Amino acid sequence: MISTLEKIIFLKGVELFSQLSGEKLAQVSQIAKEVEFDRGKKIFSEGDAGNSLFLIVRGSVDVVKGDRRLVTLGEKECFGEMAILDSEPRSATIVASADVVCLELSREDFYELMADEHEIPQGIIKVLVRRLRNVKT
Ligand code: CMP
């Protein structure tokens, strides 16, 4: 179980949230739900409906499309942001490549945060641009 203080320190180190005030980070730490997955567990599948995004606190996940592993994401990175932004199905399958601890944020909570804090949409754009740049053709 991650303490509130640990959550706040973790969130401060996540690019998306690094600009938020301590007060706001404390608020996010209250609404973010801690979830754990054992190594090898499929967290969700390509084509699923998606209503939340995940921040990796510990461990790593593979992003898999068809039978191809696109990338491995590690601590302080997020996944699941695309489906909550465009309401389309999940674009890839996510598999825990180690035991993973994540913080999960619902679409509703994330939209409220984006409305209040303009650094968050900017941060999401940075994440998406970085992923686009790293796409291998
Ligand atoms: P989403 O489409 O909700 O679910 C699958 C997730 O995999 C997606 O959000 C991103 O978080 C992640 N993802 C998909 N494609 C890539 C990629 N090329 N590089 C990094 N992450 C990706």
Side-chain angles (χ1 to χ4, degrees), residues 31 50-53 84 105-116:
I31 54 179
N51 290 309
S52 56
L53 75 72
I84 66 163
L105 274 173
S106 71
R107 173 189 272 120
E108 294 72 29
D109 287 338
F110 190 66
Y111 269 70
E112 268 183 39
L113 277 172
M114 282 203 293
D116 287 352

Side-chain angles (χ1 to χ4, degrees), residues 44-46 48 50 52-54 62-65 70-73 77-86 88-94 127-128 130-132 134-136:
F44 57 71
S45 297
E46 184 176 352
D48 285 354
S52 56
L53 75 72
F54 298 81
D62 286 337
V63 179
V64 180
K65 211 167 163 67
L70 297 182
V71 68
T72 298
L73 301 173
E77 293 189 281
C78 67
F79 62 90
E81 75 293 343
M82 288 171 60
I84 66 163
L85 289 171
D86 68 1
E88 292 292 320
R90 295 294 193 191
S91 62
T93 296
I94 302 290
V127 168
L128 295 174
R130 187 168 54 237
R131 288 182 178 171
L132 197 54
N134 289 336
V135 167
K136 295 174 194 86

Side-chain angles (χ1 to χ4, degrees), residues 10-11 13-17 53-63 71-81 94 97 100-104 124 126-128 130-131 134:
F10 165 75
L11 289 166
V14 172
E15 193 183 6
L16 269 183
F17 298 112
L53 75 72
F54 298 81
L55 304 165
I56 303 172
V57 181
R58 277 194 285 280
S60 58
V61 303
D62 286 337
V63 179
V71 68
T72 298
L73 301 173
E75 289 174 12
K76 299 196 176 137
E77 293 189 281
C78 67
F79 62 90
E81 75 293 343
I94 302 290
S97 49
V100 197
V101 180
C102 295
L103 294 182
E104 183 177 10
I124 273 284
K126 279 191 196 166
V127 168
L128 295 174
R130 187 168 54 237
R131 288 182 178 171
N134 289 336

